[in-house]
Amino acid sequence: MGGGVAEMRRGITVEDRLLGRVDGAHPGPTLVCVAGLHGNEPAGVHAVRRVLSRIADRSTGMSGRFFAFAGNLSALEVGRRFVDRDLNRAWTTERLAMLRRDGAGEGSVEDREQMELLAEIEQAIRSSDGPVYAIDLHTTSGPGGLFSAFTDSLPHRDFAASFPVPMIFGLEELVDGTLLNLLSIHGIVALTIETGQHEEPEAIDRAEAAVRIALVGACVLPKRLVREATEARKRLARDSTHVPRALEMRYKRDLEPGDGFEMVPGYRNFQSVRQGDVVARDADGEVAVPESGRLLMPLYQEQGEDGFFLVREFSPFWMGVSVVMRRSGLARVAHWLPGVRRLDGSDDEVVVNKRIARFFARQLFHLLGYRQLEDAGDELVMRRRRFDEKRYVERPPEPRSLDGE
């Protein structure tokens, strides 16, 4: 592995959305890698090309398939996050149904990009003869951004544990419409990996390391055939030093057109801040953080919908507790708790009265594998995450078509 400034020049031309494919000699899992979903994040594209050039001769020992796709070709060419709209905020069932019904037609550039990428991913899923894993490679506009994010069900967490980087829990509660969320609810064991700052040469090296680890973690290649996997883990572990292993999402600063948001210069990912610290300014004046924690993804680029996130460290001990609770099936009887009832017509959704269950509501339900859908004042609506059972760790879920729910 070795980085180069020339590789990180702004704007790259990608001729084919399929960056490469390697078919193993034996049946097995499928690993799908998506890079460049945002056009100003080319590190993943360069990294995947490196990996493809070095594993093609190892297919005889490979089980299953490896696919690598470029995300937003039009935005990659101009070096911008997107052309008309963010391609990683519209992977909802409703949006996909509309695109399938109406087609890209005269829609946005990203409508066409999304339809083409969707078709490629669905073809990869249909061709699989085993479980499907996916990694979505990204970079950030602020320095120090090496971490993973995932939907916190047991098989996803098990896959994420293969990567020695900080693990971010709860992103799907604050950000809608990501490709990660769509894949996760359809039985694909998916993970987002952020590998550094956009134009940082080391971001390519870290992305390359992540792909190599994913090939082994998904059991597509045995460790003995990915000679660089051990070094890859050492590299990511070294670059994650002094950052906690587990952090939970606490807050997101939404942006609106014309609000004049501008981050104060100099902040890094995972930098500690205290409640009341002024970290940005907008049309109304100073923007202060609402609680103490660590900054994540401070916005230092022209385009974006999120000014910054706040995360808070929690002990990995609680990850072990949650695994025990979920394997024991406690989530299925959560509605027996005081102040909790099932949502009418649903076995997986509950309504939590915060006045009665105020001492355990959100935290306990996160341990049980629920995600927050709505905070309606005195009540929380929580839904149990799909595929969050012991059997899906022992055998990952079967992938389903991305059509509908």
Side-chain angles (χ1 to χ4, degrees):
M1 293 184 285
V5 175
E7 286 185 280
M8 298 304 291
R9 68 187 186 278
R10 296 188 68 82
I12 62 171
T13 299
V14 179
E15 300 291 345
D16 193 336
R17 190 172 305 279
L18 177 63
L19 295 171
R21 169 180 177 171
V22 182
D23 293 331
H26 313 285
T30 293
L31 175 65
V32 174
C33 179
V34 177
L37 203 56
H38 292 135
N40 61 338
E41 303 176 17
V45 175
H46 299 306
V48 166
R49 284 171 167 168
R50 286 187 195 172
V51 174
L52 285 165
S53 70
R54 295 168 186 170
I55 67 167
D57 61 347
R58 306 179 197 180
S59 60
T60 55
M62 179 173 163
S63 300
R65 299 177 176 88
F66 173 52
F67 294 86
F69 301 116
N72 194 333
L73 276 59
S74 301
L76 282 165
E77 189 166 4
V78 297
R80 292 173 59 81
R81 182 177 175 91
F82 57 85
V83 177
D84 294 319
R85 65 171 175 84
D86 195 324
L87 189 55
N88 202 30
R89 293 295 186 274
W91 295 91
T92 63
T93 300
E94 296 77 17
R95 179 83 189 190
L96 296 182
M98 183 194 73
L99 288 174
R100 287 189 173 100
R101 182 185 69 243
D102 301 337
E106 300 299 320
S108 69
V109 167
E110 275 73 23
D111 284 350
R112 296 188 290 275
E113 296 281 352
Q114 188 168 9
M115 288 290 287
E116 292 175 9
L117 179 57
L118 177 64
E120 293 278 12
I121 294 174
E122 287 191 315
Q123 177 58 38
I125 293 171
R126 284 194 295 270
S127 69
S128 67
D129 49 17
V132 177
Y133 296 80
I135 56 170
D136 183 17
L137 297 171
H138 286 268
T139 51
T140 70
S141 62
L146 173 60
F147 60 89
S148 68
F150 50 95
T151 299
D152 184 26
S153 63
L154 291 179
H156 296 82
R157 189 194 292 188
D158 192 53
F159 185 42
S162 304
F163 301 80
V165 300
M167 302 165 69
I168 306 297
F169 291 75
L171 180 66
E172 79 275 15
E173 293 189 337
L174 297 180
V175 180
D176 293 325
T178 64
L179 178 61
L180 169 70
N181 285 353
L182 177 76
L183 297 177
S184 297
I185 65 175
H186 285 85
I188 291 88
V189 182
L191 180 75
T192 290
I193 293 282
E194 302 273 357
T195 65
Q197 199 170 26
H198 297 329
E199 297 183 17
E200 179 186 14
E202 290 80 7
I204 305 176
D205 298 337
R206 297 185 195 113
E208 180 183 356
V211 176
R212 295 187 183 283
I213 293 169
L215 285 164
V216 175
C219 299
V220 172
L221 276 173
K223 188 174 181 178
R224 62 183 174 79
L225 290 181
V226 186
R227 295 179 292 273
E228 306 86 351
T230 299
E231 180 58 34
R233 287 191 175 87
K234 291 179 180 178
R235 170 62 190 265
L236 295 188
R238 183 182 71 239
D239 289 356
S240 299
T241 303
H242 307 309
V243 179
R245 174 61 163 161
L247 304 102
E248 62 173 343
M249 280 287 182
R250 297 288 298 173
Y251 172 81
K252 174 170 71 82
R253 175 56 159 84
D254 294 312
L255 299 187
E256 299 294 338
D259 69 359
F261 179 91
E262 186 175 354
M263 199 78 196
V264 171
Y267 281 104
R268 299 175 55 86
N269 284 283
F270 299 112
Q271 183 168 339
S272 295
V273 291
R274 298 184 66 84
Q275 182 179 8
D277 284 353
V278 174
V279 299
R281 293 177 175 83
D282 63 15
D284 295 325
E286 295 180 338
V287 177
V289 296
E291 62 179 73
S292 299
R294 293 174 183 257
L295 280 177
L296 193 68
M297 292 184 281
L299 184 69
Y300 289 115
Q301 61 189 25
E302 177 186 352
Q303 295 175 311
E305 301 75 23
D306 314 308
F308 61 87
F309 295 81
L310 280 177
V311 295
R312 184 175 64 185
E313 177 184 1
F314 69 92
S315 171
F317 165 79
W318 292 109
M319 290 196 290
V321 171
S322 70
V323 169
V324 172
M325 294 173 72
R326 296 181 199 187
R327 285 177 177 244
S328 65
L330 289 176
R332 295 192 177 277
V333 295
H335 60 281
W336 292 354
L337 291 168
V340 181
R341 61 178 173 82
R342 279 179 174 167
L343 190 67
D344 293 343
S346 175
D347 291 333
D348 294 323
E349 295 176 336
V350 295
V351 179
V352 183
N353 186 318
K354 290 193 291 185
R355 291 176 297 177
I356 298 175
R358 62 187 182 277
F359 296 115
F360 60 79
R362 186 179 287 105
Q363 292 79 6
L364 175 60
F365 279 90
H366 282 164
L367 290 174
L368 288 171
Y370 284 78
R371 60 165 291 196
Q372 179 178 312
L373 297 180
E374 182 182 359
D375 188 341
D378 290 336
E379 292 185 332
L380 290 174
V381 180
M382 310 285 287
R383 176 187 291 163
R384 193 162 64 94
R385 292 178 174 93
R386 291 182 176 176
F387 313 114
D388 195 32
E389 299 173 25
K390 177 181 178 181
R391 59 189 171 122
Y392 292 123
V393 176
E394 297 168 347
R395 179 176 176 80
E398 293 186 9
R400 294 157 41 184
S401 169
L402 301 183
D403 290 325
E405 279 288 345

